[in-house]
Amino acid sequence: MKHLTISFFSIAVSAALPLLSSCGQQQAWDGGLISVQYDRLPQGEDILLSDWVGEPEFIALDSSNPEALIDGGEIIVSDRHIGIYSPRETLFKLFDRATGKFLRNIGNIGRGPGEYTGISFAQIDETGGKVWISTLYTNNIYSYDISTGRLCEDLPLAYEGNGNPNQGYNFVVDSKARTVTIAGIPYDNSCPAAWCQDMQGNVIWEIPKTGSAPVNAMLRLHTSLNVDGALDICQWSMNTQQDTLFIIQDRELRPLLTMKLGETTEPNALSFDDGDYMHDPFILPDYAVVNISKTKMVLSRNTGSGVSISMETDIQPAIILDRRTGEVSRRTIINDILTNDITSPTFKNGYLVSNYSAEYFMEAGPGFLENGNLSSSARKRISDILKNISEDDNNVIILAPLR
C-alpha cells in the first residue's frame, strides 16, 4: 500500500510541493504541483476546439414521451448511451445515443432501498451492463441494471463520508477487475482522500488524508473521466477562490495545478459580487483546463414585482496547463467548429459535450450552418433537426470526441 504525505487541499499542498512561477518563468517540470495566480499568468495563443476534438454529432432527444423531457442537467456518455441527471430531486434518464430515443428512468426518487433524492455522480458501465449512481446526502453508491433500470446492488463501502452531507462520492468502476476507486472530500473524522475496493467492500489500496476541511466548507468535487485508467478530481469552491486539480492513477494521488483567482473568504461564505471570478475545471489526457468567467449582476424591471436581479457571466481566457511540458498560461478557447466565438467548453467521458434547449437550438442552428466548420453530413443533420423541431421539444445534445 502506498501512502502519500501531501494534503488533499490546495493551500497546504501548494506550500509543500515545487511551484512553477506564476509569472511564466519555466523550470524543468517533473510532474509536480504547479501553483499560479490568474492575473499574473502570461497570455498565450488562442486554442481552436477543432485542434482538440473531431467531427461533432447532433442528437435530438426524444420528445414523444413526456418522461423523456429534461431541463439541463449533467450529461454522461458511453458508446451506446447518453445519461442525464441532476443534483436536484430528479430521475436519472437514459437515452439511446444513436437515435436519441428515451429508454428508461434509472432507479426511483425516495428514501427507501436503492432510491435517491439527489445524485452527485454517475457512470454508465456498458461492459458490466450497469449504471452506477452516487447519492447526495446519504453517500451511497448503487448499481442498476442498464436494460431495466432496476436496482442490482447497494455497494458496501469500506469507509463512510461522515461530516459530508452535501457532496457524495466521485468514483470510477472497473467492471472487468470488479473494483471501484472512490474519492470524497475528507472532512474531519471522515474517509481517506481516496481508496480502491472490491465489490464486497474490501480495501485494495488507499491514499490517506493528511489534512481536512471544515464540515461547513462549501466544496464540491468535479470528475469528468476524460483520462483512461484514471480518476480525475477537481476541487471546486465558490468562496476560497483557490482550488486544486488532482489525478488518481497507478495508486497515487498526483496534484497537477492549484490556482488563486481572487481574494480568499471564509470556508462557509458565498460571494456573488459584481466582477467575482467563477471557474469550471477539468482534466484532459494532455491538458488541465480551468474555464474562467466573471459575474455580472443585472437589474431588470418587470410589471409584476418591480425589480428582479439576475446574474450574467462574461467569459475570460482559460487557465491551460500543458501536462506534457508544464507550460501554463491564459489562453482563449475558440469554438471554430460551430460559431467562431470564445467558449467555455465542457468535456465528459472523452467528449466535448453541449446541451441546448430546443428553443436555443432553433435560434443558434442557422448560425452553425453559416459559420461552422462542418462536414456535409453534419450540415444535413442540423438542417433535418431544424425542419422538425419546435420550441416545446426536448433538448439537443452535441458530442465531439477528443482527438
Side-chain angles (χ1 to χ4, degrees):
M1 182 183 299
K2 185 157 187 176
H3 293 268
L4 302 188
T5 57
I6 61 173
S7 167
F8 191 66
F9 293 95
S10 56
I11 298 175
V13 171
S14 61
L17 292 175
L19 306 184
L20 181 76
S21 167
S22 60
C23 295
Q25 296 176 352
Q26 299 282 329
Q27 301 175 3
W29 191 50
D30 60 0
L33 179 70
I34 294 174
S35 180
V36 299
Q37 184 171 324
Y38 180 68
D39 59 8
R40 296 180 64 189
L41 280 173
Q43 182 70 38
E45 294 182 357
D46 292 353
I47 292 174
L48 302 180
L49 270 185
S50 60
D51 291 336
W52 282 3
V53 301
E55 177 80 355
E57 56 187 287
F58 302 83
I59 302 112
L61 297 181
D62 191 352
S63 299
S64 63
N65 187 337
E67 282 196 274
L69 298 177
I70 65 168
D71 179 19
E74 296 285 333
I75 297 175
I76 56 176
V77 186
S78 65
D79 289 343
R80 300 191 300 273
H81 297 92
I82 293 172
I84 301 177
Y85 67 92
S86 171
R88 302 187 302 273
E89 194 167 309
T90 57
L91 287 162
F92 183 104
K93 297 185 180 295
L94 189 69
F95 295 84
D96 179 82
R97 175 173 160 179
T99 64
K101 180 182 178 182
F102 176 67
L103 298 177
R104 62 194 55 87
N105 291 319
I106 302 295
N108 292 291
I109 298 294
R111 300 184 183 276
E115 297 178 334
Y116 49 84
T117 57
I119 298 173
S120 63
F121 190 71
Q123 180 184 350
I124 299 174
D125 172 24
E126 288 184 350
T127 301
K130 295 178 180 178
V131 174
W132 295 83
I133 288 177
S134 170
T135 62
L136 281 172
Y137 315 118
T138 55
N139 296 307
N140 293 89
I141 297 178
Y142 298 126
S143 70
Y144 302 86
D145 187 283
I146 201 169
S147 61
T148 65
R150 295 174 183 166
L151 178 69
C152 294
E153 60 183 319
D154 178 352
L155 184 70
L157 297 175
Y159 295 99
E160 295 182 1
N162 296 328
N164 186 5
N166 58 2
Q167 164 68 51
Y169 293 120
N170 290 18
F171 59 88
V172 59
V173 172
D174 185 336
S175 59
K176 291 182 179 178
R178 295 286 296 164
T179 61
V180 55
T181 301
I182 303 169
I185 296 174
Y187 291 98
D188 295 336
N189 303 316
S190 175
C191 59
W195 76 94
C196 179
Q197 66 169 66
D198 62 21
M199 298 301 174
Q200 289 73 48
N202 300 305
V203 174
I204 299 170
W205 53 263
E206 68 180 61
I207 300 171
K209 65 175 182 177
T210 58
S212 61
V215 171
N216 61 354
M218 295 183 179
L219 298 170
R220 293 191 65 83
L221 299 182
H222 281 195
T223 294
S224 300
L225 298 183
N226 293 308
V227 182
D228 289 341
L231 176 62
D232 57 296
I233 297 293
C234 303
Q235 179 187 316
W236 180 89
S237 72
M238 295 183 68
N239 48 19
T240 66
Q241 298 290 309
Q242 180 165 344
D243 297 337
T244 304
L245 281 65
F246 302 85
I247 194 162
I248 299 170
Q249 193 168 30
D250 300 328
R251 304 189 177 195
E252 292 185 350
L253 178 67
R254 302 173 183 171
L256 301 178
L257 176 71
T258 185
M259 65 275 181
K260 184 174 181 181
L261 302 177
E263 294 300 320
T264 58
T265 59
E266 293 298 319
N268 61 347
L270 286 176
S271 177
F272 294 100
D273 292 340
D274 223 18
D276 278 353
Y277 285 112
M278 303 287 286
H279 57 292
D280 180 24
F282 54 88
I283 297 172
L284 303 178
D286 293 331
Y287 298 92
V289 180
V290 186
N291 290 323
I292 304 292
S293 60
K294 279 190 173 182
T295 61
K296 181 181 179 182
M297 309 304 289
V298 178
L299 300 178
S300 59
R301 296 189 175 276
N302 57 61
T303 56
S305 56
V307 176
S308 64
I309 301 175
S310 60
M311 185 174 70
E312 294 181 353
T313 57
D314 182 18
I315 299 174
Q316 304 292 304
I319 301 173
I320 307 290
L321 163 66
D322 190 321
R323 295 181 58 202
R324 300 161 297 184
T325 65
E327 180 182 0
V328 61
S329 60
R330 289 185 294 178
R331 301 177 69 179
T332 300
I333 304 175
I334 303 296
N335 186 352
D336 62 318
I337 299 172
L338 294 177
T339 64
N340 281 314
D341 293 328
I342 184 173
T343 185
S344 291
T346 297
F347 291 87
K348 281 289 188 72
N349 309 110
Y351 292 88
L352 170 70
V353 176
S354 300
N355 183 3
Y356 293 139
S357 69
E359 184 177 8
Y360 184 84
F361 192 84
M362 292 171 67
E363 252 179 55
F368 298 163
L369 293 173
E370 180 179 352
N371 301 314
N373 181 19
L374 297 164
S375 68
S376 57
S377 59
R379 290 178 177 278
K380 183 178 185 307
R381 179 59 181 149
I382 294 172
S383 297
D384 289 344
I385 293 174
L386 290 173
K387 287 176 186 176
N388 296 288
I389 199 170
S390 70
E391 62 182 19
D392 295 324
D393 281 346
N394 211 353
N395 287 21
V396 177
I397 306 298
I398 302 176
L399 305 176
L402 282 170
R403 292 189 182 279

